[in-house]
Amino acid sequence: MIQRRKRFQYHTNKYNVHMYDFRLVIYVWILGIIGVLVINSAADGFAAKQLIGFIGGSAAMIIFSLIDYNYIAKFEWFLYSINIGMLVAVKLFGINVNGATRWFSLGPFGTLQPSELSKVIMLIIFSHLISEQRDKINYFSVILRIGILYVVPMFLIAMEPDLSTTLVFAFLFCTLMFVGGISYKIIGIILGTGIPLAGVLIWYVQQPNQILLRDYQVDRIMSFLNPSDYLLTTYNQQYNSTMAIGSGMLTGKGLNNNTITSVKGGNFISEPQTDFIFAVVGEELGFIGSCVVLGLILLIVLECLHIAKDARDMRGRLIAAGVAGIITFQSFVNVGVATGILPNTGLPLPFVSYGLSSLLSNFLCIGLVLNVGLQRNRR
């Protein structure tokens, strides 16, 4: 036990405080504070919990930033087992909400969504595995082995069902493989077969007896393809969201306004504090506020990529680039749904949307990136 403690202390010291990326921390904190303010305006009873999550997540971020990511990666198979165990357990013992079983009930503390924590675990595990196999990353056997290990938790998440988080995992895998050095020839083959296959898939899910997607998922795709036919049903929330964003004009209507024509006052969007938080941002903070939120997200992504570029090893580069990929994809999808340029799907806007599991996982990811940055000059 004493020897283990000494090893842990070794992996949490010898860092140069001047290498700590305080810029990244400030960007994250400003965005998180804006999130608390907007959530407080969007719906009653959520801002206090989000603030607690913000404080707890910040503490977790600082702790993770001081633990060597290489040390954590040594436990990859233990973490993989924990990950699979959580995803199986939530399917068996989780609570069902609107036909989806994605959460554990924590009583007065709310709920826990294992798939959010799974993103952090998968990032660590596969950054390690890909870095270990970087010299053989273009071998079919290596790609197949890594792919099978990756597909298992993805399948469990898809079965909850949680298609949106499954897509996040797919994008993360593509990001890690690309940064890991997969051949452009292989990328070309995948795109050459994947794009036509996607077209066939879109055609297939529109058929009356298709079995790949659930009815509500098909309705969302169809409402995106033919919005006028679903204006009073499936597409209604996205239509109201775009109207809300447009009504904010340049400077917005101001936080905590109670006008009957607002998203909150008129109850035009259900759960505006989560998936459609950007509609509240656009309406109440206007074009300027929306640009500030998107600008902060861009700065966070660029800072992660900068740290990735200067990382001491491939594992650190993959972790930092993977976090940049997760934040980019989730932000693009969330804003795309709120503005009507993508089909309706439920992904939170990082550090802004309400959701303690999502907030915690994002802070843990940033903590890992900060640790990668702390080791830039260590060889």
Side-chain angles (χ1 to χ4, degrees):
M1 182 67 71
I2 294 174
Q3 189 176 8
R4 235 181 240 177
R5 189 177 302 149
K6 285 182 178 178
R7 282 203 303 265
F8 178 79
Q9 289 173 347
Y10 173 78
H11 290 290
T12 58
N13 57 22
K14 296 188 178 181
Y15 295 140
N16 185 351
V17 69
H18 297 293
M19 297 298 295
Y20 206 87
D21 197 327
F22 291 103
R23 275 199 315 262
L24 179 57
V25 175
I26 291 171
Y27 296 151
V28 167
W29 279 349
I30 293 174
L31 187 61
I33 291 170
I34 292 174
V36 173
L37 294 175
V38 175
I39 289 168
N40 183 59
S41 181
D44 298 326
F46 295 98
K49 291 181 180 179
Q50 186 78 355
L51 181 58
I52 293 172
F54 175 82
I55 296 170
S58 297
M61 173 187 71
I62 294 170
I63 293 171
F64 253 57
S65 71
L66 300 177
I67 304 175
D68 189 344
Y69 59 88
N70 290 295
Y71 176 71
I72 300 174
K74 291 179 180 179
F75 301 94
E76 75 271 27
W77 296 117
F78 174 74
L79 291 172
Y80 190 82
S81 301
I82 292 293
N83 187 34
I84 298 298
M86 284 194 310
L87 296 175
V88 171
V90 76
K91 187 64 178 175
L92 297 175
F93 310 111
I95 58 174
N96 188 290
V97 179
N98 297 326
T101 310
R102 307 173 188 170
W103 304 270
F104 288 121
S105 174
L106 300 180
F109 301 101
T111 59
L112 174 68
Q113 187 173 355
S115 60
E116 287 292 341
L117 298 181
S118 181
K119 285 188 291 191
V120 185
I121 295 174
M122 295 286 279
L123 174 67
I124 296 170
I125 293 170
F126 286 90
S127 292
H128 174 69
L129 291 178
I130 292 172
S131 68
E132 290 289 298
Q133 300 291 330
R134 61 184 177 276
D135 295 331
K136 303 177 182 178
I137 195 64
N138 292 308
Y139 290 12
F140 177 76
S141 59
V142 173
I143 296 174
L144 182 63
R145 187 164 60 249
I146 293 175
I148 291 173
L149 287 171
Y150 201 92
V151 163
V152 173
M154 271 185 64
F155 175 79
L156 292 173
I157 291 172
M159 291 299 101
E160 291 180 356
D162 191 351
L163 181 60
S164 53
T165 304
T166 304
L167 293 176
V168 175
F169 272 67
F171 187 82
L172 174 60
F173 181 75
C174 294
T175 301
L176 294 177
M177 293 297 286
F178 177 78
V179 176
I182 194 169
S183 167
Y184 285 105
K185 180 180 179 180
I186 296 176
I187 295 174
I189 294 172
I190 293 172
L191 291 177
T193 56
I195 293 175
L197 187 62
V200 173
L201 183 63
I202 292 174
W203 170 83
Y204 174 74
V205 298
Q206 298 180 56
Q207 306 311 304
N209 296 319
Q210 66 85 30
I211 58 174
L212 289 179
L213 298 180
R214 296 171 182 259
D215 290 341
Y216 76 90
Q217 294 171 332
V218 174
D219 287 342
R220 289 179 177 182
I221 293 174
M222 295 302 297
S223 66
F224 173 72
L225 297 175
N226 305 289
S228 59
D229 295 339
Y230 294 83
L231 195 57
L232 299 178
T233 54
T234 314
Y235 193 72
N236 184 253
Q237 286 211 94
Q238 285 183 278
Y239 177 79
N240 289 336
S241 174
T242 55
M243 292 299 101
I245 294 171
S247 70
M249 301 181 72
L250 183 63
T251 58
K253 301 174 182 176
L255 292 171
N256 300 304
N257 76 81
N258 292 312
T259 59
I260 193 65
T261 56
S262 70
V263 166
K264 177 184 176 182
N267 196 28
F268 295 125
I269 295 176
S270 62
E271 307 294 337
Q273 75 278 4
T274 54
D275 301 338
F276 283 92
I277 193 68
F278 193 74
V280 182
V281 172
E283 182 181 51
E284 302 198 339
L285 300 181
F287 178 76
I288 293 176
S290 300
C291 288
V292 169
V293 169
L294 294 177
L296 285 167
I297 292 172
L298 176 62
L299 289 172
I300 291 170
V301 170
L302 291 176
E303 204 65 30
C304 290
L305 292 175
H306 176 70
I307 291 174
K309 179 177 70 71
D310 296 333
R312 63 178 287 205
D313 54 27
M314 176 58 75
R315 189 178 294 113
R317 185 172 298 116
L318 288 166
I319 287 174
V323 173
I326 291 171
I327 294 175
T328 298
F329 183 78
Q330 288 200 190
S331 300
F332 175 74
V333 172
N334 181 278
V335 175
V337 169
T339 54
I341 65 173
L342 291 175
N344 191 355
T345 186
L347 276 180
L349 187 62
F351 300 105
V352 181
S353 293
Y354 173 76
L356 301 187
S357 298
S358 172
L359 190 62
L360 177 61
S361 70
N362 288 329
F363 271 117
L364 292 177
C365 284
I366 295 298
L368 289 170
V369 174
L370 289 169
N371 184 260
V372 173
L374 273 174
Q375 301 191 56
R376 278 175 286 187
N377 289 340
R378 291 178 62 187
R379 299 295 178 209

